[in-house]
Amino acid sequence: MKIIHTADWHLGQTLYGFDRTAEYQHFLSWLAETVRQQRPDALLIAGDIYDSHHPAPSAQRIFWDFLDQATLENPGMRVIITSGNHDLAEELDAPAAVYRRIGVQVRSQLSYDAKENPDLEQLLIPIECLSAPEEMAVIVAIPYLPAGTDDGEEAATEWQQRIISDAIHLAAKRFEGMPIVAMAHFFADGAIVNDGQGHEVQRTGDNALDAAALATMTNYMALGHLHKAQQMPRSDGKVWYAGSALAMNFGEEAYPHGVNLVNLSADGAIDVSQLEYKPLRQLLTFAEESAGDIEGVLKQIASLPKADKGTPDDDWPYVQLVLSPSDTDASTAEKIKSLTTSRQMRLCRVTSNAPQQQTGDAPDNKPATDLQYLQPALIARDAYQQAHGKEMPDEVARLLAEVKRACIASH
């Protein structure tokens, strides 16, 4: 039996105000072709289909276009979707009648019976091998379990661990002898995460589930939530994060992308391979620390192709510049502005490699090291940061980008 495992698409995400629809269309076209070539028995999408609870129409359209194409071109293939923390259950459930017609099954939220006990039966989905129907497996499709919906005084992580464990135990009981594949969306103990700035740490302790313990009860676990594709330690090669479709920030610019191809034998043995996807646009960091000085950074920018009039910009990379505090004067800013606007690139941010201040400075005391004044979108993000003390949500950035495009179109 052949299974493709993917997760964390985040359709509708914007990056520093830039619309990414073309990138997502590129990814979904690649995935449709990959599915067509591999002919899997099941496609598992483990949460965070959308980037926000209220996705843009463009994000919904490309999602539905993909489902329509994938199910039409691959008759009999099971498509099973579980929710992630970025997904709104009601949003995913709305087209239930269409799901049934095209053979897609969605588990968006945990339901309860008349006695307020979790209905775990509805999480169990048996599937069969298209080329050998006598070979079967059961998918334990766990929707995202919000930490705020724990049971009584039981700790949230203990409740989440128990729900998943109980569902797997039920699958083993109901479908005795069948291989078990669980899919879920959570932080696993021992996983590698990053802080958005490229610094990686191993996640342990609070709010992390014991995936290694769950692995003893399954043949494969298809996880979503973390954007770095990785195999979990102490899991005998059974527990995997497929990683995100695209890099969500510059801390993820070196991450590989793609999907997991899982070959599952009738006896439960697995073979996992990663099918690599090359995104339409790169994320690039030009930093003085690696380039030597500001002139080295300027040479890196100049090495990019010139942005001649009419040049298609579909594959232009996203760029951030990391400068030393001594190179943040007005003349340097003007040089950067002049050079970047003449190159095939999308300038996202210019920041300093100086240690970040932990105190909340007033806007007029803000260090000049930020240089966020090269693009209107960056000015808006900086203003939001100052007003609210946090990064502008991607949903707000997306709306600002739509307003900008509408203004351009009106002129």
Side-chain angles (χ1 to χ4, degrees):
M1 184 175 295
K2 189 182 288 188
I3 295 170
I4 285 182
H5 162 209
T6 179
D8 295 281
W9 293 358
H10 289 273
L11 301 179
Q13 192 236 14
T14 60
L15 187 66
Y16 287 89
F18 290 106
D19 181 82
R20 309 189 78 180
T21 301
E23 294 170 85
Y24 283 115
Q25 288 175 321
H26 186 267
F27 167 72
L28 291 176
S29 294
W30 171 86
L31 182 57
E33 178 60 28
T34 299
V35 169
R36 187 163 49 246
Q37 291 179 2
Q38 296 295 334
R39 297 292 178 186
D41 301 290
L43 173 64
L44 308 184
I45 310 173
D48 281 358
I49 288 82
Y50 296 120
D51 191 59
S52 75
H53 284 186
H54 302 289
S58 59
Q60 297 180 63
R61 176 179 54 77
I62 60 176
F63 176 53
W64 281 102
D65 284 349
F66 169 79
L67 289 182
D68 180 60
Q69 179 182 359
T71 54
L72 184 65
E73 293 178 345
N74 303 276
M77 179 185 71
R78 307 293 291 276
V79 179
I80 301 173
I81 301 171
T82 52
S83 58
N85 56 302
H86 281 249
D87 300 313
L88 182 66
E90 292 78 6
E91 183 75 48
L92 286 182
D93 287 341
V98 180
Y99 287 140
R100 287 192 293 270
R101 183 171 59 80
I102 65 176
V104 174
Q105 291 177 276
V106 176
R107 299 296 182 267
S108 65
Q109 57 189 323
L110 194 62
S111 60
Y112 293 81
D113 61 22
K115 296 182 180 180
E116 294 301 315
N117 295 314
D119 181 5
L120 302 182
E121 289 275 3
Q122 57 100 21
L123 305 181
L124 312 184
I125 305 174
I127 63 173
E128 63 182 31
C129 179
L130 296 176
S131 60
E134 69 279 3
E135 294 185 17
M136 299 188 68
V138 58
I139 307 297
V140 182
I142 308 293
Y144 178 66
L145 301 173
T149 57
D150 55 34
D151 205 5
E153 297 181 357
E154 187 176 19
T157 51
E158 293 175 3
W159 173 77
Q160 293 165 337
Q161 185 93 18
R162 178 173 60 82
I163 291 293
I164 298 172
S165 178
D166 288 352
I168 295 171
H169 277 300
L170 182 61
K173 180 179 178 181
R174 292 283 191 273
F175 302 93
E176 187 176 357
M178 282 190 194
I180 296 174
V181 175
M183 56 188 298
H185 196 90
F186 60 75
F187 276 116
D189 189 67
I192 301 299
V193 300
N194 86 63
D195 61 359
Q197 303 299 319
H199 305 126
E200 294 190 334
V201 296
Q202 190 172 42
R203 179 70 178 261
T204 59
D206 293 344
N207 301 319
L209 302 192
D210 188 351
L214 297 171
T216 63
M217 302 180 283
T218 62
N219 299 90
Y220 181 80
M221 286 199 73
L223 298 186
H225 199 35
L226 299 186
H227 297 166
K228 182 175 184 177
Q230 57 188 293
Q231 176 186 327
M232 293 306 302
R234 308 184 311 279
S235 70
D236 294 327
K238 296 179 181 179
V239 183
W240 287 79
Y241 284 98
S244 59
L246 305 175
M248 298 289 103
N249 54 56
F250 283 96
E252 299 177 7
E253 67 179 90
Y255 283 4
H257 300 280
V259 299
N260 278 9
L261 178 65
V262 184
N263 283 288
L264 179 64
S265 301
D267 62 1
I270 62 166
D271 178 69
V272 181
S273 57
Q274 295 172 291
L275 306 181
E276 184 180 358
Y277 163 68
K278 183 179 180 181
L280 179 64
R281 297 170 186 157
Q282 288 182 284
L283 275 70
L284 302 175
T285 295
F286 296 154
E288 282 194 51
E289 186 176 6
S290 57
D293 54 22
I294 184 61
E295 293 302 321
V297 171
L298 295 177
K299 286 180 181 178
Q300 288 181 314
I301 298 171
S303 70
L304 297 174
K306 289 186 177 180
D308 297 323
K309 187 175 182 180
T311 305
D313 63 356
D314 286 348
D315 60 353
W316 290 11
Y318 298 109
V319 176
Q320 74 164 346
L321 308 180
V322 183
L323 310 181
S324 65
S326 61
D327 287 319
T328 57
D329 56 275
S331 62
T332 301
E334 191 58 37
K335 282 183 185 179
I336 292 172
K337 182 177 180 180
S338 175
L339 186 55
T340 57
T341 54
S342 67
R343 299 290 156 175
Q344 294 183 20
M345 58 179 284
R346 291 172 170 80
L347 180 61
C348 292
R349 66 195 297 249
V350 183
T351 189
S352 168
N353 57 16
Q356 295 294 311
Q357 295 188 12
Q358 298 301 312
T359 57
D361 288 334
D364 55 350
N365 292 328
K366 185 173 178 62
T369 57
D370 227 308
L371 290 184
Q372 295 272 17
Y373 306 102
L374 301 179
Q375 293 189 15
L378 302 185
I379 297 174
R381 279 187 174 271
D382 183 61
Y384 190 97
Q385 173 78 37
Q386 291 296 327
H388 301 281
K390 60 182 181 180
E391 287 284 337
M392 178 186 289
D394 282 329
E395 178 68 11
V396 176
R398 181 184 64 77
L399 292 173
L400 285 175
E402 290 179 359
V403 171
K404 177 183 175 183
R405 287 194 298 273
C407 290
I408 293 173
S410 66
H411 289 81

